[in-house]
Amino acid sequence: MNRVAVTGLGVISAVGHTASEFWHAVSHGRSGIGPIQSIAGNDLEIGVAAQVRDFDPGEHFDRARQAQMDRFAQFAVIAAREAMADSRLVDEACSAMRVATIIGTSIGGQVTQDDAYRRLYGEGRQRSHPFIVPRIMTSAPASQVTMDLGLTGPAYVVSSACASAGHAIGQAFHMIRAGAVDAALAGGAEASITYGSLKSWEALRLMAPDTCRPFSLDRRGMVLGEGAAILALEPLERAKARGATVYAELIGFGATSDASDLVRPSPEGAARAICAALEDARLNADEVDYVNAHGTGTATNDIVETDALHRAFGPHAPRLAVSSTKAVHGHALGASPALEMVATVCALRDGVAPPTANYTTPDPECDLDYVPAEAREMTMRVALSNSFAFGGLNAVLAARASDMSV
Amino acid sequence: MLDWERQIIDRIAERSPSLGVAITPETLLDDLGIDSLDQIELIFELEEHFDVPLPYNANEPSGEKVRLVTVGDILGLVADQLGQSGAAGERSAHHAESFQVQ
């Protein structure tokens, strides 16, 4: 079995249009949550989101390509380009036919769908734009990334609500470990902040009116985000042989389902996913230093996740540094696990646990160390990244600090 | 050249990546770099602009098939519809809503 290295990163998010901008904001706890821009609708109760700002598609794509891509696919391609340029994955030793492209997304081309159906039903327009279908299709990120970068290996999109990119990265990790492919671009993309989706999320009664405060006593719910993150993965031996930068080593992936409630996570299902990742990585619980939490900032998730961490780590749980970076980049749904994996990988590289931003007050029911407010330099050998999605779909990734100096 | 023909030629020119190619009714769409996906987007734009349906299906049986090979084929497709609606050359162009990416 191959060991698997992360050799490239690409991000576009509410707090930066590159991986380094993103990590700088995350590690400084600088939140990208702010007043919603450019969404018409006087009756929206939700006033805040973590939107990708100052984004001009024309800087990245010509007119013809823009017309064929929804916002979420554009984000995927931009992040993939950065990861590819960062890693220089494809060369004489690794052909494009041996590169997998696996991208997670939960809901597809919402911007296109919202606009198209508003025109059709709301305005009674007789004809629809011919590109609605290829723009909406949930698989668009995989198609557009492979078309843009000339990748001809296995390519598809994985969807598991808020765990989508976690499952995508886990799939790619297992494929490389098994030698089924020689490299992969894996991650997630989501751009679903529209009037229609905001009204839908409001109706679930778990959106925060102010900001996202994971694990804090005064937390009031989740905040929607958007963006994309892509990781370039390849066998560690190959990365070393060609002198590539190794950000971290992926060592485990655990996936379980709760078979319980449609929206409420189960501590037992989540704990099993954590344990599954540890087992896949051949790790003892007490070898983990940092956990990037799912940490949506809802009353329920944060309590359930804390419970799950106690169950999985036992006496080691209080010694973990646990933080949720959703306070900075928002909940980008299917893309969140990828954004969080980039943060986790950078945390391992730099030996810095990013803070849980916006945290003010301890909650007695969330009693772990959530790295409040400020980043912490620490010995960080192993880290986990949790994603516990609606419908009980859980994905946990484990990574280890690279033993090579970067 | 009639006003409505000029409007169509202009729209074709806008989406062609080939610069400096003089566009006549005999010009091949392939030579202008306008592929099949571009063609159906162009048809949509023209339907919006002239507010007429332009019957075109790439999968029609060959006997009935509308073939779009040259610029003239597109002009002919529009001319047929404008003629049927009785407004050839007189319909004033109104702005078609362009498909905006947010």
Side-chain angles (χ1 to χ4, degrees), chain B residues 6-80:
Chain B
R6 169 53 57 193
Q7 289 165 20
I8 294 174
I9 300 270
D10 285 348
R11 284 176 181 274
I12 291 174
E14 267 171 26
R15 63 176 51 246
S16 168
S18 307
L19 300 175
V21 176
I23 300 179
T24 71
E26 289 69 42
T27 306
L28 297 175
L29 295 172
D30 274 351
D31 288 349
L32 293 174
I34 294 176
D35 67 17
S36 56
L37 211 52
D38 294 322
Q39 282 177 31
I40 61 171
E41 194 186 13
L42 177 63
I43 299 290
F44 169 76
E45 264 187 47
L46 295 177
E47 285 186 325
E48 290 281 277
H49 183 77
F50 293 105
D51 199 20
V52 288
L54 298 175
Y56 171 65
N57 185 319
N59 296 297
E60 274 171 5
S62 54
E64 305 159 24
K65 195 177 169 66
V66 171
R67 290 175 49 77
L68 299 179
V69 176
T70 65
V71 169
D73 290 337
I74 295 184
L75 295 174
L77 184 65
V78 178
D80 286 347

Side-chain angles (χ1 to χ4, degrees), chain A residues 333-348:
Chain A
L333 304 180
S336 277
L339 292 168
E340 290 158 18
M341 202 57 205
V342 170
T344 302
V345 157
C346 290
L348 285 164

Side-chain angles (χ1 to χ4, degrees), chain A residues 13-83:
Chain A
S13 72
V15 289
H17 293 191
T18 65
S20 59
E21 285 175 15
F22 169 77
W23 172 238
H24 188 266
V26 166
S27 58
H28 288 77
R30 182 171 56 79
S31 178
I33 294 170
I36 290 177
Q37 298 174 350
S38 311
I39 306 282
N42 298 335
D43 60 338
L44 283 173
E45 287 177 25
I46 302 171
V48 295
Q51 291 172 287
V52 174
R53 296 182 183 84
D54 303 320
F55 172 64
D56 176 8
E59 287 179 15
H60 304 274
F61 310 105
D62 63 28
R63 188 216 67 85
R65 288 228 42 218
Q66 281 182 61
Q68 296 177 9
M69 289 199 279
D70 183 271
R71 187 175 172 90
F72 86 125
Q74 294 179 4
F75 287 165
V77 172
I78 290 165
R81 284 175 178 172
E82 187 188 355

